[in-house]
Amino acid sequence: MAQVKVRGEPAVSLLAELRYRTTDPYAVCLSLGAPLATPVDWLFARSLLTEGLCLSVGTGDVLVIPRRPGHPDLVRIVLRSRAQEAVVDIDTSVVSAFLLRTLALVPEGEEGLHVDLDRAVAELLEDAE
């Protein structure tokens, strides 16, 4: 569960799921809202989430901010689009446990061993048609 705040709206609790696939070893997905609503998925670098446990990182669409005074048990993820910005607060313990599971599957620095370049090129060529 995550607390989600959009400017001008009250904060709401939404189901949040962090997902990781070894076929896309550099990325994580934060999915908000399912199964009660159509989920909103954000895909961003696993390293961003890892670094964000210790220091504020990110530019552009995704920022990760570690424990803050008064909220030492939360990680803040700021998601930006052209139209809006959402602030998502998730328990640090949930994020840490998730990252440990991903690192057990694909250790940091070994992501390249899990990338299927033939499949990636085929997908790029397919998208170009």
Side-chain angles (χ1 to χ4, degrees):
M1 198 59 92
Q3 283 294 114
V4 180
K5 175 83 171 104
V6 175
R7 189 174 307 155
E9 300 290 331
V12 296
S13 292
L14 289 178
L15 290 174
E17 179 182 23
L18 287 164
R19 294 191 305 256
Y20 181 75
R21 297 178 318 168
T22 58
T23 56
D24 193 1
Y26 292 101
V28 296
C29 177
L30 171 60
S31 185
L32 297 168
L36 302 175
T38 303
V40 176
D41 293 342
W42 284 79
L43 194 66
F44 54 95
R46 175 175 74 165
S47 60
L48 187 71
L49 191 57
T50 303
E51 292 173 30
L53 289 176
C54 299
L55 55 113
S56 295
V57 292
T59 58
D61 295 345
V62 181
L63 308 172
V64 182
I65 304 164
R67 302 173 178 104
R68 300 170 323 282
H71 303 282
D73 56 343
L74 297 174
V75 172
R76 175 162 283 176
I77 301 172
V78 180
L79 306 170
R80 297 177 175 156
S81 71
R82 289 186 187 117
Q84 196 62 268
E85 177 178 291
V87 176
V88 181
D89 288 326
I90 303 175
D91 285 338
T92 301
S93 62
V94 170
V95 175
S96 295
F98 167 76
L99 287 170
L100 285 174
R101 289 191 305 273
T102 73
L103 292 168
L105 292 170
V106 179
E108 190 172 4
E110 294 184 15
E111 294 90 350
L113 301 174
H114 296 268
V115 175
D116 182 348
L117 290 178
D118 292 333
R119 183 182 59 87
V121 169
E123 287 177 2
L124 286 172
L125 293 174
E126 199 173 274
D127 288 343
E129 295 177 354

